[in-house]
Amino acid sequence: MEPRRLYKSRTNRVLFGVCGGIGEYFNVDPTIIRLLLVLLGCTGTGILAYIIAAIIVPEQ
């Protein structure tokens, strides 16, 4: 069994595909991930985490 890898989504993207990739990795609707990111974004933590993930997570 091959281990799963986290990638930015090419098909399900709004900005950089990070939320789409996380949704595909956990087999969850990316809209839920985006809503959680908006809630975290109100604290400032979500914005920083998204920017870091957009830089670090590779394209598929």
Side-chain angles (χ1 to χ4, degrees), residues 3-51:
R4 296 185 317 181
R5 303 246 357 226
L6 177 63
Y7 292 107
K8 290 188 265 187
S9 177
R10 289 186 179 183
T11 58
N12 195 352
R13 65 185 335 165
V14 175
L15 289 176
F16 297 105
V18 175
C19 293
I22 292 171
E24 291 172 4
Y25 182 82
F26 289 111
N27 199 20
V28 177
D29 186 12
T31 305
I32 296 171
I33 305 296
R34 289 184 185 106
L35 289 173
L36 291 174
L37 181 68
V38 168
L39 291 175
L40 284 174
C42 294
T43 64
T45 307
I47 297 168
L48 182 62
Y50 188 85
I51 293 169

